[in-house]
Amino acid sequence: MSEVQSVPKNLNSPNLSKEAVLEDFRIAMISRHASLVGRKEVFMGKAKFGIFGDGKELAQVALARAFQLGDFRSGYYRDQTFMFAIGELTVQQYFAQLYAYTNVTAEPASAGRLMNGHFATRSLNEDGSWKDLTKKYNSAADISPTAAQMPKLLGLAYASKLYRENKGLKDLSTFSVNGNEVAWGTIGNASTSEGMFYESINAAGVLQVPMVVSVWDDGYGISVPNEYHTTKGSISEVLAGFERSDAQKGIEIIRVKGWDYEALLNAFASAGELARTSHVPVLIHVLELTQPQGHSTSGSHERYKDSKRLQWEKEWDCIAKFREYILSNKIANADALDKIETEAKALVKQEKEAAWSAFSNEIKKELNEAVVLLKAAAHHSTRKVLINQLADELSKTINPIRKDVMVAVRKALLTLRLDSPAAKADLKAWYEKQNDLNFDRYNSHLYSQTEWSALKVEEVPAQFNDNSPLVDGREILQSYFDLTLEKDPRFFTFGEDVGKIGDVNQAFAGLQSKHGELRVSDTGIRECTIIGQGIGTALRGLRPLAEIQYLDYLLYGIQMLSDDVACLNYRTKGGQKAPLIVRTRGHRLEGVWHSGSPMGMILSTLRGMIVCVPRDMTQAAGMYNALLKSDEPAIVIECLNGYRLKEQMPLNLGEYTVALGKPEVLREGTEVTLVTYGSMCRIVMEAASELAEIGINIEVIDVQTLLPFDVYGIVGKSIKKTNRVIFADEDVPGAGTAFMMQQVLERQEIFKFLDSEPQTITAQAHRPAYSSDGDYFSKPSVEDVIEKVYALMHEVDPKKYPAI
């Protein structure tokens, strides 16, 4: 472990010229005053919340000097100085985010969808195509959960390894220059207590990737000091066992003081060079940082720091020490530094006012339009006094937001309900137009809106003939993956047991030896960073297939999927995409673990991802093919008991696609529509055959994808014919079936066509019991389906269908 101390350099060198030093001082002062002013704006009520990077300025300007074009950052919400220093954040943009300005040009990181301190660069052009990432500084879109930036950081660094070592990727010159790009991560000292941090560090050491992690250590995690967070109170000491040696690979560990300018420059320069040239991961533990304004605007740090600590922080503030350094080295005199600070303060004020003016004027314009329309409506209304009162109150609102405007207009429209349509026509038209605008501002881009949307992938049916051989289902997947690995160098897969043995169900059997370890890779047991590895590589233009061995193991990676990839397109308003495909398996199996179908959890947490639930492997291969033609993230949940079942090998394997969002009618019927998916399709189809023998003809529909759900209205059309519906799956009651029912009842408007109460068939509320009997009594059986359908028909015609 090396501890970097100040080593005086020639001030005429590129990294430490007088001009460079004073520019770093200027950036630091701008950032500090942005923090101070930002806090005041929150307390004045002009923003909801603020969290700032004061106290970390000096380390971040040093980091910026080591950061190169093509590099990626995956950090956290105190990195404003760094973003200022690399020119990817202006002061006006900084305040636009604080105010939640929804203009994507004014606030390009998130279009006002995230609180301040969440930084991102736009990797995509307006049409969703990739920019040349090698010619720009890149920041992966930030997320708030502590340490959640780390798994993605691993993936960003792993992409460089693939670009350097996989010769098939050499033509992708807009994504990498021979894998020279470094992935730079930043994290607070307290967040290093999270398991995601340790898992990512361990994986980086195993994979040997160009990842540099900076730990900003100010001694606290909100109010809790380091001794409660970390053994020995020092993350670098804890990680000493990971440190590389002459005999063993590992990580490089550097310790440096956060107020020591020259040492910081040396530390970041050497870490960047080592990672860039040799792909060695590095941890830089930046010690003795301060946090002058405390954690955030939610409270004062004086509540938990004693007077001695507060005095130390004042004396050892990195900007105060930087000023001392400049003066002692005669780089500039006090008057020159005072002038820089004065100009920085004035710039922050000017840009803050410009941001506020742009933000507030747009809303005031809408408010004024609404006031005019309200008064015009009042003139023609029988409730003139009330409408004018709404208009007057709205016009007097201090620092109005859009909510104020829309509340007044909606109240007015309710008040006008008894007046003639003409009295409210203009107000209602304006309101409807604003609804469209506000949908775009606050609700758009949950899914791709580009030409590569999954919904736009053309359906190509699988083709068969009389000579199509019957094979195990897993052989169809194996052949499909083999073809895809051959034709698309961007495609690769990794996960537990995927490599040498070809996954536990043999869909990749023999493919590692054929295509190499970089294309079909084993990983450790680390689902969280398997997902992160996929996210980071997808952010850099690759097409990863990340395997989670069993569906219940998805719990280890669900936060990364939910908080990062599922909402990435939304929270950047189309600025970044990570078309990761997660492959896993579940449904019919015996026992508490590996056998559940937690679709309710997936549907609630993964909005923004495509959720595919194929009933067999032919269908799964068509879904994978469709997904690889799209630019959207997805999860494909294969049927655990389907790998050895016989299926016909398609003639056009690798060419056919399944239409995502389009259910398939497996069996036509006239009396009941039964909607299901996955392994339940076989159960339901067997039940349908038995029911037909007693004169009950049910229509069976496989939804194929739960997200998106039936964008063609196929289920609704069936119900209009049968007038009855049952939703069936293997999830717990009130989960997947409740979702399907809500989608059909509300979005397809079929309630008026129902002659019977809609029904559900589900597994028991507990996890499945072990053994074949446990499976039978825990999950829906053929007999359960028959009895449920029969009971429904008994209610319809008791004479024809007497009680069992």
Side-chain angles (χ1 to χ4, degrees), residues 38-39 42-43 48-52 293 295-299:
R39 187 177 182 88
V42 174
F43 291 154
K48 294 284 289 184
F49 178 79
I51 195 159
F52 308 105
Q293 297 186 112
H295 178 264
S296 69
T297 55
S298 62

Coordinates of all heavy atoms in Angstrom, one line a residue, residues 38-39 42-43 48-52 293 295-299:
G38 N -26.4 26.9 -3.6 CA -27.4 25.9 -3.8 C -28.2 25.6 -2.5 O -29.4 25.4 -2.4
R39 N -27.5 25.6 -1.4 CA -28.1 25.4 -0.1 C -29.1 26.5 0.3 O -30.2 26.2 0.7 CB -27.0 25.3 1.0 CG -27.5 24.9 2.4 CD -26.4 24.7 3.4 NE -26.8 24.3 4.7 CZ -26.9 23.0 5.1 NH1 -26.7 22.1 4.2 NH2 -27.3 22.7 6.3
V42 N -32.4 26.1 -1.6 CA -33.3 25.2 -1.0 C -34.0 25.8 0.2 O -35.2 25.7 0.4 CB -32.6 23.9 -0.5 CG1 -33.5 23.0 0.3 CG2 -32.0 23.2 -1.7
F43 N -33.3 26.5 1.1 CA -33.8 27.1 2.3 C -34.8 28.3 1.9 O -35.7 28.6 2.7 CB -32.8 27.6 3.2 CG -32.0 26.5 3.9 CD1 -30.7 26.7 4.3 CD2 -32.5 25.2 4.0 CE1 -30.0 25.6 4.9 CE2 -31.8 24.2 4.6 CZ -30.6 24.4 5.1
K48 N -36.5 21.7 -3.7 CA -37.0 20.8 -2.6 C -35.9 20.2 -1.7 O -36.2 20.0 -0.5 CB -37.7 19.6 -3.3 CG -38.9 19.9 -4.1 CD -40.1 20.2 -3.2 CE -40.6 19.0 -2.5 NZ -41.8 19.2 -1.7
F49 N -34.7 20.0 -2.2 CA -33.7 19.3 -1.5 C -32.4 19.6 -2.1 O -32.3 19.8 -3.3 CB -34.0 17.8 -1.4 CG -33.0 17.0 -0.7 CD1 -33.0 17.0 0.7 CD2 -32.0 16.3 -1.4 CE1 -32.0 16.2 1.4 CE2 -31.1 15.5 -0.7 CZ -31.1 15.5 0.7
G50 N -31.3 19.6 -1.4 CA -30.0 19.8 -2.0 C -28.9 18.9 -1.3 O -28.9 18.7 -0.1
I51 N -28.0 18.4 -2.1 CA -26.9 17.7 -1.6 C -25.7 18.1 -2.4 O -25.8 18.1 -3.6 CB -27.1 16.1 -1.6 CG1 -26.1 15.4 -0.7 CG2 -27.2 15.6 -3.0 CD1 -26.6 14.0 -0.3
F52 N -24.5 18.4 -1.8 CA -23.5 19.1 -2.5 C -22.1 18.5 -2.3 O -21.9 17.6 -1.4 CB -23.5 20.6 -2.0 CG -24.9 21.2 -2.1 CD1 -25.6 21.4 -0.9 CD2 -25.4 21.6 -3.3 CE1 -26.9 22.0 -1.0 CE2 -26.7 22.1 -3.4 CZ -27.4 22.3 -2.3
Q293 N -20.7 21.9 4.8 CA -22.2 22.1 5.1 C -22.9 20.9 5.6 O -24.2 20.9 5.6 CB -22.8 22.6 3.8 CG -22.3 23.9 3.2 CD -23.1 24.4 2.0 OE1 -23.8 25.4 2.1 NE2 -23.0 23.7 0.9
H295 N -24.1 16.8 5.6 CA -24.5 15.8 4.6 C -25.4 16.4 3.5 O -25.3 16.2 2.3 CB -25.2 14.7 5.3 CG -25.8 13.6 4.4 ND1 -27.1 13.6 3.9 CD2 -25.1 12.6 3.8 CE1 -27.2 12.6 3.1 NE2 -26.1 11.9 3.0
S296 N -26.4 17.2 3.9 CA -27.4 17.7 2.9 C -28.2 18.8 3.6 O -27.9 19.2 4.7 CB -28.4 16.6 2.5 OG -29.2 16.2 3.6
T297 N -29.2 19.3 2.9 CA -30.0 20.4 3.4 C -31.0 19.9 4.5 O -31.8 20.7 5.0 CB -30.8 21.1 2.3 OG1 -31.5 20.1 1.6 CG2 -29.8 21.8 1.4
S298 N -31.0 18.6 4.7 CA -32.0 18.1 5.7 C -31.6 18.2 7.1 O -32.4 17.9 8.0 CB -32.3 16.6 5.4 OG -31.1 15.8 5.6
G299 N -30.4 18.7 7.4 CA -30.0 18.9 8.8 C -28.6 19.4 8.9 O -27.8 19.4 7.9

